Amino acid sequence: MKERVGYRLYKATFHGRDGATRASPRWTMEFRDARETVRRLTLFSDKGATSKAAVHVVRIVADVQGGGRLTDPQLVRWVSGTPEHVRQRLAEWGLIEADRVAADKALGALFDQWRDALVAGGATAGHADLQRWRADHLCTLAGFRRLTDIARGRVESTLAKLRDGAIDGQGRIGQRTGNGYLQALGSFCRWAVRERMLGENPLAEAQRVTVTDARKRRALSVDEQRWLVSATADAAERFGMTGPARSLLYQAALGTGFRYSELASLTRASFDLAAATPTVTLTQAASKNRRGAVQPITPDLAGALRAHLGTKAPAALAFNMRPAYDAAKMIRKDMADARAAWIKAAATDAERDERTKSGFLLPVTDEGAADFHALRHTFGSNLARAGVNTKTCMDLMRHQDVNLTMRLYSHTVLADRGRAVQAALPDLSGPVTQTAHATGTDDAS
């Protein structure tokens, strides 16, 4: 044994069944805490690693003695990276907070706790589920299994690979989506720090990338809307929903302008389909602006919903929807099927070739991208195209800023005017045709 200032190291001995004396495979540290109580902490098989750990433990005793809780950031980081049995002992002796023991828990359980904390703090269940999935998915791809595994460098490199489409089995993501993943995991880490599971946020210095590939969404044309609804009604089950159920979901989105998460919150009781003006009510908790809404719907949509909801209990969800991260995949697969059916329905080979070259129901065109949220954009564009006044359109879209509504109006009306101009005005780019003009001299006498 070799004496150290404030502690000593030794290997305990024990007697085997054969009576022989054997030494423990690991070194034990013996020290006195602030109350002069003798403590013994079994650490590592390597003496050098044990000596370094012992120095940190002595410093923790001094730090806690001065302020009652561990405050030194360097010591907090060291504690977060120690094996669970060491943290367990330090917590039992009051040298660290008991919550710090959670740093070695499986991330899945911690994500569940965080998700529940988000809901308790006022987040909608849909938003909390999406945040949890993003953080969990990013950690899975990065290879993190424990809280203390999370590291800024590997997070940033994983996001870069996702943006480049360089991870097998994972599609390419946009810059905005990547920032969403980083925001979710950063939020989780900040929660872990508040709960004293981490000494500091490992992603505190992580930077979101500047979004240069920002997509603009496009509105579906009336024909695109009709083909999507009609073709999906005859489709097979996808993402846990039958074809008719998905078709009705798209009709509801096009007929209300509700977002995916808002539609997912609706129950049978949300609908008043027997009124002279049928309506659907969105609760404050489910709406993005936390103000709720009573949205009028068309009699046609009310009739379709009446048949769908007729056998459901008042508290039953109106639609059996998957989490929001499947929404874009679902509608784009249905758009692809509807486009294929539209192309197949061409009367002639020439027409079929023209349809194949068109952007009809393509997910991305020069006009913008089409995903589930584009159905809300289409709802607003339909209002603008029909000449609904700006104030009414703003109310139905539940915009807080009139500029959002005006942007919707300006590009929708401008597009319609552009098509009108294109159809009405002559093409002046062709070759000039020489024509003889009468001079008035041929018949002169």
Side-chain angles (χ1 to χ4, degrees):
M1 291 181 294
K2 185 175 181 180
E3 294 293 333
R4 300 282 186 182
V5 177
Y7 66 90
R8 71 187 186 96
L9 303 180
Y10 65 91
K11 280 191 173 182
T13 58
F14 61 93
H15 296 284
R17 292 182 179 179
D18 58 1
T21 301
R22 295 185 176 86
S24 169
R26 293 189 293 177
W27 288 88
T28 295
M29 169 195 182
E30 182 179 281
F31 65 100
R32 292 180 181 273
D33 63 16
R35 298 178 181 178
E36 292 298 315
T37 301
V38 176
R39 304 293 188 185
R40 296 178 180 86
L41 179 61
T42 300
L43 291 164
F44 312 112
S45 58
D46 180 75
K47 186 176 181 181
T50 302
S51 297
K52 292 180 181 179
V55 171
H56 283 91
V57 171
V58 171
R59 289 178 58 197
I60 289 173
V61 173
D63 190 50
V64 172
Q65 184 178 10
R69 56 174 293 187
L70 188 60
T71 58
D72 186 321
Q74 184 179 7
L75 295 177
V76 170
R77 282 196 300 272
W78 178 80
V79 167
S80 297
T82 57
E84 183 178 12
H85 79 276
V86 174
R87 291 197 304 277
Q88 289 278 12
R89 282 295 188 185
L90 295 178
E92 289 174 10
W93 298 332
L95 296 176
I96 64 172
E97 295 90 343
D99 288 339
R100 294 200 187 279
V101 180
D104 206 44
K105 285 184 179 179
L107 277 171
L110 296 180
F111 285 137
D112 289 339
Q113 293 180 36
W114 171 56
R115 183 262 180 207
D116 292 343
L118 289 176
V119 174
T124 64
H127 174 74
D129 287 339
L130 177 60
Q131 291 290 91
R132 188 209 178 285
W133 181 85
R134 282 179 167 176
D136 192 357
H137 188 57
L138 181 54
C139 284
T140 298
L141 295 177
F144 302 145
R145 295 193 304 171
R146 302 180 307 169
L147 188 58
T148 50
D149 291 340
I150 299 175
R152 171 188 168 188
R154 203 187 308 175
V155 167
E156 292 178 336
S157 64
T158 301
L159 288 173
K161 292 177 181 178
L162 278 172
R163 288 192 295 268
D164 293 338
I167 298 180
D168 291 342
Q170 301 295 318
R172 185 191 302 270
I173 66 170
Q175 295 165 336
R176 192 183 301 277
T177 300
N179 286 343
Y181 283 127
L182 180 60
Q183 183 276 329
L185 187 54
S187 174
F188 168 72
C189 290
R190 289 192 297 274
W191 169 81
V193 171
R194 289 195 301 271
E195 295 296 316
R196 299 179 183 176
M197 299 177 187
L198 280 176
E200 62 181 4
N201 181 1
L203 302 183
E205 302 299 324
Q207 297 293 321
R208 300 183 187 184
V209 300
T210 301
V211 177
T212 59
D213 63 352
R215 299 174 304 172
K216 61 177 182 178
R217 286 187 171 90
R218 70 179 181 92
L220 301 184
S221 69
V222 174
D223 282 343
E224 285 179 310
Q225 296 171 56
R226 288 171 175 162
W227 272 94
L228 174 63
V229 168
S230 175
T232 304
D234 296 328
E237 181 174 323
R238 176 173 286 161
F239 290 92
M241 298 182 70
T242 65
R246 296 197 309 278
S247 175
L248 184 58
L249 176 64
Y250 299 150
Q251 292 179 65
L254 290 165
T256 62
F258 286 0
R259 300 170 177 86
Y260 189 88
S261 60
E262 294 171 340
L263 291 165
S265 73
L266 300 178
T267 65
R268 169 65 184 87
S270 303
F271 298 86
D272 184 358
L273 304 178
T277 300
T279 61
V280 54
T281 299
L282 187 65
T283 65
Q284 291 182 344
S287 61
K288 184 178 180 181
N289 62 9
R290 295 295 187 270
R291 295 189 177 187
V294 178
Q295 194 84 323
I297 58 177
T298 65
D300 289 341
L301 177 57
L305 287 166
R306 192 179 295 114
H308 173 72
L309 299 171
T311 60
K312 290 181 178 285
L317 291 175
F319 302 102
N320 180 31
M321 297 166 63
R322 293 283 292 272
Y325 47 80
D326 282 336
K329 296 177 183 177
M330 180 178 72
I331 192 171
R332 285 179 175 172
K333 287 181 180 294
D334 285 332
M335 286 173 61
D337 290 348
R339 173 180 166 83
W342 174 73
I343 292 174
K344 185 177 180 180
T348 65
D349 291 342
E351 182 184 358
R352 186 173 298 108
D353 290 340
E354 286 300 314
R355 291 189 176 192
T356 301
K357 296 174 184 177
S358 77
F360 192 85
L361 283 174
L362 284 179
V364 180
T365 69
D366 292 340
E367 294 182 358
D371 54 12
F372 196 95
H373 197 75
L375 301 184
R376 171 174 167 80
H377 190 75
T378 302
F379 169 75
S381 295
N382 285 341
L383 296 177
R385 189 176 293 111
V388 176
N389 67 71
T390 306
K391 179 61 171 65
T392 302
C393 184
M394 180 179 175
D395 290 342
L396 290 170
M397 290 293 291
R398 293 172 290 129
H399 285 158
Q400 300 300 308
D401 184 356
V402 69
N403 290 321
L404 293 176
T405 310
M406 291 308 300
R407 283 199 294 270
L408 179 69
Y409 256 81
S410 62
H411 91 257
T412 299
V413 174
L414 181 62
D416 289 343
R417 288 176 178 172
R419 284 188 284 269
V421 167
Q422 184 177 357
L425 298 184
D427 181 3
L428 304 179
S429 61
V432 176
T433 301
Q434 298 292 335
T435 47
H437 297 280
T439 63
T441 60
D442 291 345
D443 297 327
S445 55

